[in-house]
Amino acid sequence: MNIKLTIEYHGEEYCGWQIQKSDSTIQGELTKSFEILFKNFKINLIGSGRTDTGVHAKGQVASLRLPDNINLAKTIKSVNAIMPKNIYIKKYEVVDDSFNARFSAKLRIYKYYITEKYSPFNSSTSWNIDEELNFNILSDCSKKLKGEHNFSHLSKNNPMIKNKICIINDSYWEKQNNTLIYTIKANRFLHHMVRFIVGTSVQVGKGKLDISTFSEMINNKSNSSPFCAPAKGLFLEEVLYD
């Protein structure tokens, strides 16, 4: 049977989602946990997308096939018990055989957290900035991102990926107490793309970069260097399907 998993994890101790030979990853830990229970069954865990080293998730989605004659509730409970406590399968369901966590996904939502006051309780899940940021300017930056753009300049260069066009469905900042939260929804994301968007927006919000230059970066028409925000403030919030 084909299973859809919704997973949350604290990514600080992991080298991202994708399984690696020598480093600990989210996909690797999940795969090992299922393999303990199903020693003679090939585990092929498919994620909706890769998160970078240090990035967290509240709604990562994965799919895999398991034997038909198992107690699924007991299986997921056992996997959660085996895995490190900073990874947790919070939801599971049997889905149609055609479902693929990566290729069936329509939209992905990321959130980025910036704290204005330092606290040890959120030091690994947010970017602490003690300089004043112009919230209105940040909002103006977010509005410019909506629509279809070439994000070659606002992403990490990867010659293997030829298509750098992404469609941004939603993009906005909000303020909750002493925390700034950036939300972005798009059909796809490039490597480091959200971190470059946030880091460069912050430079504009600090008055260190002109918003017109930021606009040129969005359309791949600038020679200015973008700024990459740290991974720890970034969360994969939700993956949307039909």
Side-chain angles (χ1 to χ4, degrees):
M1 56 182 165
N2 197 21
I3 312 298
K4 175 186 176 184
L5 306 174
T6 304
I7 308 149
E8 57 185 9
Y9 49 85
H10 192 292
E12 182 183 24
E13 298 179 11
Y14 298 98
C15 292
W17 165 266
Q18 188 177 19
I19 196 166
Q20 298 181 27
K21 289 183 178 179
S22 57
D23 295 316
S24 182
T25 68
I26 308 299
Q27 186 185 34
E29 293 297 331
L30 282 159
T31 300
K32 285 190 295 184
S33 299
F34 276 104
E35 287 177 341
I36 289 172
L37 299 178
F38 300 98
K39 293 182 174 62
N40 299 315
F41 190 85
K42 175 66 175 177
I43 298 298
N44 181 26
L45 189 74
I46 301 168
S48 68
R50 304 171 185 175
T51 50
D52 297 333
T53 298
V55 174
H56 318 290
K58 294 181 181 178
Q60 171 69 286
V61 174
S63 57
L64 81 163
R65 295 186 182 278
L66 294 175
D68 292 331
N69 58 345
I70 64 170
N71 183 324
L72 185 56
K74 184 177 179 180
T75 296
I76 299 302
K77 185 176 181 180
S78 297
V79 169
N80 276 332
I82 294 168
M83 282 191 301
K85 298 307 177 186
N86 48 16
I87 307 173
Y88 184 72
I89 299 172
K90 65 178 184 180
K91 185 179 177 182
Y92 59 91
E93 60 181 303
V94 179
V95 290
D96 186 87
D97 284 345
S98 64
F99 179 83
N100 180 294
R102 180 183 176 189
F103 295 115
S104 300
K106 301 301 180 185
L107 294 168
R108 295 165 175 84
I109 301 172
Y110 278 89
K111 287 184 181 287
Y112 195 99
Y113 294 81
I114 294 175
T115 50
E116 298 176 310
K117 292 186 177 181
Y118 175 81
S119 168
F121 295 108
N122 55 31
S123 60
S124 63
T125 55
S126 65
W127 181 16
N128 176 243
I129 298 177
D130 55 11
E131 298 177 66
E132 185 176 350
L133 299 177
N134 187 317
F135 183 80
N136 291 331
I137 292 293
L138 290 177
S139 295
D140 289 342
C141 287
S142 68
K143 293 173 185 176
K144 289 183 176 294
L145 287 155
K146 291 183 182 180
E148 183 175 297
H149 303 284
N150 183 332
F151 284 92
S152 296
H153 203 74
L154 287 173
S155 65
K156 185 176 181 179
N157 183 43
N158 183 346
M160 299 296 292
I161 299 176
K162 303 301 181 183
N163 179 17
K164 304 296 178 69
I165 303 295
C166 301
I167 301 172
I168 311 300
N169 296 70
D170 211 354
S171 171
Y172 61 90
W173 287 87
E174 56 188 323
K175 192 169 186 176
Q176 297 180 3
N177 298 321
N178 295 313
T179 302
L180 294 172
I181 306 169
Y182 175 63
T183 300
I184 184 169
K185 180 196 294 185
N187 66 326
R188 62 195 291 262
F189 290 91
L190 305 176
H191 196 193
H192 286 11
M193 177 176 151
V194 181
R195 292 169 59 190
F196 272 117
I197 287 172
V198 171
T200 309
S201 296
V202 165
Q203 292 297 95
V204 180
K206 289 179 179 179
K208 295 181 179 180
L209 188 71
D210 192 81
I211 193 168
S212 62
T213 303
F214 179 75
S215 182
E216 290 172 354
M217 287 183 182
I218 296 170
N219 294 290
N220 198 32
K221 296 178 180 178
S222 173
N223 292 321
S224 298
S225 298
F227 185 88
C228 190
K232 62 183 180 179
L234 184 59
F235 286 74
L236 174 55
E237 186 74 14
E238 188 176 4
V239 184
L240 302 177
Y241 299 85
D242 285 338

